[in-house]
Amino acid sequence: MTPIRKMRHGLALVFAVAWLGFGFSQSALLGQSSDEIKVAVGKSIVIDYPEDISRISTSSPEVVDAVPATTREILLHGKSLGTSTVIVWSKTGQRNFYNVNVEPNLEPLRRILKETFPEEDIQAQGARDSLSITGKVSSQAISDRATQLATPYAKSVVNNLKLIPAGVDKQIVLRVRFAELNRNASQSFGVNLLSTGAFNTMGRLTTQQFPAPTIDKVKGAIPGTSQGFTSEFNLSDLLNVFMFRPDLNLGALIKALQGQGILQILAEPNLVTTNGKEANFHVGGEFPVPILQGGANSGAVTVAFREFGIRLNFTPVITANRTIKMHVRPEVSAIDLSNAVTISGFTIPALSTRKMETDIELGEGQSFVIGGLLDDRVTETLSKVPGLSNIPILGALFKSRQETKSKTELIVLVTPEITMPLSPGDPSPALTFPREFLPNTTPGTPGMGAPSAALPKKR
C-alpha cells in the first residue's frame, strides 16, 4: 500500500472514530436531567419517577439513603448534613441526576421564633454546621434573644438581622396633684382669782396653767387694821376676760377661747418625657446647713445646701397592651422651724417631709391615688385645785383646761397620658385667658386684647 493510500485510510479511521464518539456522547447525554432537592436531617421524601426504575446509585450513602419503594417511587432519607448525588436509571436506559442537599431540621426553630416574636420578621437558614438568621427586628434586645434561641441548633450561628429604623418616640405626660389639708382646732378655759382686800384678806387663786397676777407691793402697820391697808398686783396677761370690783376688792381673769384654722396646699406639676426615660421635677428651694470639718481643716465650718419643696421622679414604660407602667417617687417637704436646732450660734431648721415610692400600671387617662396620709392628733392639758375643784358647779372656777386637735390629710393623684409632638403642618395651640388680657381703654382703637378683625375677642 502506498503512503498516500495509508494516509487516506488513517484519516478515514479518525473521522469514523470521531463520528462514533460524537454519536456515543450524544446518545449518552440524551435524556439526562439534573434536579435540586432539599431534605432535612431525619426527614424523608418520595420522588415519583415517570418510568419503571432499573437501579439507583448515591454518591454519599452516609448522607442520603435512596431506596426504591415501588417500581416508580424512590424514597430519599436524610441521614446527616451534607450533599449527595443520586442517579436513577430507567429500564429504557433513561438516566436522571438528583443533587440532594441535607440541611438541619429548622422547623422547630422557626416555630419557636414565630411564637416568641409574632410581630417580627425572622427567617432561619442552615448549611451543614452553620446557621444564619435573617430578617428585620424592632430592637437590639430582640436580635440578641433570637441568636440565643438559635444557638442550640447549630455549632455556629450568624446573626444577619437588621434593625428597623426607630420612628418618633411617644411622649408621656404625667399629671400629678398634691392635695394637703391641715385642720387645727383648740379650746381653752381657765380662771384666775385675786383679792386686794376682800373679806379682810389679800391674795390670789390660780392653777398656774395661764399667766396669773403677781403681788408687787403690800403696805400695812403692826398691829395693823384693815383700814388704810393697801395692796398692789401686777397683771402680765389679762387673758381674754378681766373683771374687777373695787368696792369688793375682788377681781377675776378668765380665758375661754375656741380657735379653728384650715390650711390647704395644692400643687399640680406636669412632666413630659419619652418612653422608658426617667424624668424629675423639683419646685422649692435650698437652705444652708453649716458643717464642721475634720482632719487637716479641723474646726473650719463649710456650708452645704439641702433641698426642700415638691419633687417628682418617674420612669414610664408603654406596654404592648397600651398601658403605662411607671415607677413614681413623689415627695413634699417644708422647713419646720419648731424643731430647729441651734449649734454654736447657728440655727439649723428641720424638714417636715412626706414622700412615697411605688410602681403602678395605668391605662391612658386613668387616675390613681398612689399615697394617702392621715395624721390625727389630740392634746389635752388639765390643771385643777385639789378639793375646791370638786365643789359642784363652783368647782369649774378652780379648773383650767386646754385642748388642741390637729388633722393633716395628704393625697397624691397620678394621671398619665400618651401624646405625640406636633407636626410642621399642625396648628399651634392658642392660649386661652379667663378674661381679656390688657384691655384697651380707648374706644375704637384695636390693641392687645381689644376686639378687632385679626384678634377676635375671647368669650
Side-chain angles (χ1 to χ4, degrees):
M1 183 179 295
T2 63
I4 295 176
R5 294 183 61 184
K6 290 183 179 179
M7 183 177 297
R8 290 178 180 176
H9 182 73
L11 290 174
L13 182 61
V14 170
F15 282 121
V17 172
W19 183 83
L20 292 175
F22 174 76
F24 174 78
S25 60
Q26 185 178 13
S27 62
L29 294 176
L30 186 62
Q32 295 179 0
S33 63
S34 178
D35 297 329
E36 296 288 338
I37 298 177
K38 294 182 180 180
V39 183
V41 176
K43 299 292 184 178
S44 300
I45 62 172
V46 176
I47 300 176
D48 293 326
Y49 200 71
E51 300 180 11
D52 292 340
I53 300 171
S54 172
R55 56 190 176 127
I56 302 173
S57 176
T58 176
S59 62
S60 301
E62 70 280 1
V63 175
V64 177
D65 186 13
V67 293
T70 62
T71 57
R72 293 193 176 187
E73 292 180 340
I74 304 171
L75 179 62
L76 299 180
H77 178 72
K79 300 174 64 177
S80 62
L81 299 177
T83 58
S84 177
T85 302
V86 177
I87 306 174
V88 180
W89 286 269
S90 66
K91 292 183 178 181
T92 59
Q94 181 82 10
R95 288 180 297 180
N96 288 82
F97 294 82
Y98 298 94
N99 296 325
V100 183
N101 294 323
V102 181
E103 301 177 344
N105 186 10
L106 300 180
E107 288 302 323
L109 176 60
R110 295 189 180 101
R111 184 171 59 253
I112 291 176
L113 292 175
K114 186 63 177 178
E115 294 176 355
T116 306
F117 311 106
E119 298 181 358
E120 306 293 337
D121 181 19
I122 303 177
Q123 294 85 31
Q125 293 85 24
R128 291 186 177 272
D129 296 338
S130 62
L131 178 63
S132 175
I133 51 177
T134 59
K136 295 181 179 181
V137 293
S138 57
S139 65
Q140 183 63 39
I142 295 178
S143 176
D144 296 339
R145 291 174 57 192
T147 304
Q148 294 176 358
L149 291 175
T151 300
Y153 290 87
K155 293 182 179 180
S156 62
V157 177
V158 180
N159 187 345
N160 293 321
L161 293 174
K162 297 181 179 180
L163 295 180
I164 300 176
V168 179
D169 289 339
K170 295 182 178 180
Q171 314 293 318
I172 300 174
V173 180
L174 187 67
R175 307 184 188 276
V176 181
R177 297 175 179 87
F178 294 89
E180 182 178 0
L181 184 63
N182 294 336
R183 297 185 180 94
N184 296 320
S186 61
Q187 293 182 354
S188 58
F189 177 79
V191 178
N192 291 330
L193 299 178
L194 64 92
S195 172
T196 59
F199 304 103
N200 295 326
T201 305
M202 52 101 35
R204 69 173 186 175
L205 181 63
T206 177
T207 58
Q208 295 185 350
Q209 186 171 358
F210 303 108
T214 58
I215 301 175
D216 181 67
K217 186 184 297 183
V218 177
K219 295 181 180 180
I222 302 175
T225 61
S226 61
Q227 186 177 2
F229 183 86
T230 61
S231 61
E232 295 181 4
F233 283 81
N234 285 335
L235 301 177
S236 60
D237 190 354
L238 297 179
L239 303 184
N240 63 313
V241 178
F242 172 70
M243 297 179 295
F244 183 75
R245 288 287 300 271
D247 57 337
L248 299 178
N249 291 326
L250 186 64
L253 292 84
I254 302 174
K255 185 171 186 178
L257 291 177
Q258 290 184 348
Q260 290 183 352
I262 296 178
L263 173 64
Q264 183 176 1
I265 300 176
L266 181 63
E268 297 185 6
N270 296 332
L271 201 58
V272 182
T273 185
T274 57
N275 184 25
K277 300 298 179 63
E278 182 180 2
N280 59 77
F281 175 88
H282 177 247
V283 174
E286 296 181 346
F287 64 94
V289 177
I291 299 177
L292 186 63
Q293 299 295 315
N297 298 324
S298 178
V301 177
T302 60
V303 177
F305 288 86
R306 297 290 184 267
E307 293 182 349
F308 69 93
I310 298 175
R311 173 173 291 279
L312 173 64
N313 297 77
F314 82 106
T315 305
V317 176
I318 301 177
T319 65
N321 299 324
R322 293 283 300 177
T323 59
I324 303 174
K325 184 178 294 185
M326 296 179 298
H327 180 76
V328 187
R329 289 181 296 164
E331 178 180 346
V332 179
S333 59
I335 295 178
D336 185 8
L337 295 176
S338 61
N339 296 319
V341 178
T342 302
I343 300 176
S344 301
F346 297 99
T347 300
I348 304 175
L351 282 179
S352 59
T353 305
R354 297 174 179 88
K355 58 184 177 181
M356 58 207 71
E357 183 174 355
T358 184
D359 291 279
I360 58 176
E361 184 173 355
L362 298 175
E364 183 180 1
Q366 293 182 343
S367 298
F368 194 82
V369 179
I370 65 173
L373 175 64
L374 179 63
D375 186 5
D376 194 353
R377 301 183 183 184
V378 178
T379 304
E380 183 176 3
T381 304
L382 177 64
S383 300
K384 62 181 180 178
V385 178
L388 297 178
S389 61
N390 297 328
I391 300 175
I393 301 176
L394 296 178
L397 299 177
F398 306 101
K399 298 179 181 179
S400 62
R401 183 180 71 251
Q402 185 172 10
E403 182 180 352
T404 303
K405 295 181 180 179
S406 63
K407 180 181 292 185
T408 302
E409 299 178 13
L410 176 64
I411 298 176
V412 181
L413 293 91
V414 177
T415 305
E417 296 179 1
I418 301 176
T419 183
M420 296 295 291
L422 293 176
S423 300
D426 296 338
S428 300
L431 296 177
T432 302
F433 296 98
R435 62 182 62 184
E436 188 177 356
F437 181 67
L438 294 180
N440 192 349
T441 58
T442 304
T445 303
M448 294 186 64
S452 63
L455 299 173
K457 184 178 180 181
K458 299 289 184 180
R459 295 186 181 272

